[in-house]
Amino acid sequence: MKLGILVNEGPFTHQASDSAYRFAEAAIAKGHQVARVFFYNDGVYNANKLTEPQSDDRNPTALWADLAKQHDIDLVVCIAAALRRGIKEEILEDGFRISGLGQLVEAGITNDRLVVFGD
């Protein structure tokens, strides 16, 4: 099955980002393809390479980037949501890219399922 994922929440205030990441890992382990993860609303904070979690905490930005690199996942950050939150291309972690809502619509059309995490 080909999957798209929508992440609407930031990495340190809600469980949605961690749940989406664990879902993606589990889906890949079961042989499914995660084609695109779209970060919207506060979910855009997942792409910020300036985030510096404590050494004993997880680093969601790096986790997403590594997963995408290993499994050829398209990580898309909504441009409108990003700019409203001060997230610009130059502070995106490698592997993330900025684009518009058309990429979310396309993920819903071209994948078998679009799974949403967060409000």
Side-chain angles (χ1 to χ4, degrees), residues 1-6 20 23-25 27-28 31-39 64 67-77 95-97 103-115:
M1 182 176 292
K2 191 173 170 186
L3 303 167
I5 296 174
L6 171 60
F23 174 83
E25 276 189 320
I28 291 166
H32 302 291
Q33 177 191 3
V34 176
R36 176 172 295 147
V37 180
F38 191 88
F39 298 90
W64 278 116
L67 188 69
K69 186 175 182 180
Q70 292 172 16
H71 300 284
D72 194 30
I73 301 170
D74 187 23
L75 301 178
V76 180
V77 177
F96 289 84
R97 67 184 180 95
Q103 299 296 308
L104 175 59
V105 172
E106 183 182 72
I109 293 170
T110 61
N111 293 300
D112 299 312
R113 298 282 186 275
L114 178 65
V115 185

Side-chain angles (χ1 to χ4, degrees), residues 37-85:
V37 180
F38 191 88
F39 298 90
Y40 190 51
N41 295 324
D42 282 349
V44 301
Y45 289 122
N46 285 281
N48 186 349
K49 73 180 176 185
L50 300 179
T51 302
E52 293 185 34
Q54 295 171 222
S55 61
D56 62 343
D57 197 1
R58 78 224 186 289
N59 185 336
T61 305
L63 290 172
W64 278 116
D66 290 344
L67 188 69
K69 186 175 182 180
Q70 292 172 16
H71 300 284
D72 194 30
I73 301 170
D74 187 23
L75 301 178
V76 180
V77 177
C78 175
I79 189 167
L83 292 177
R84 276 191 296 260
R85 290 161 178 83

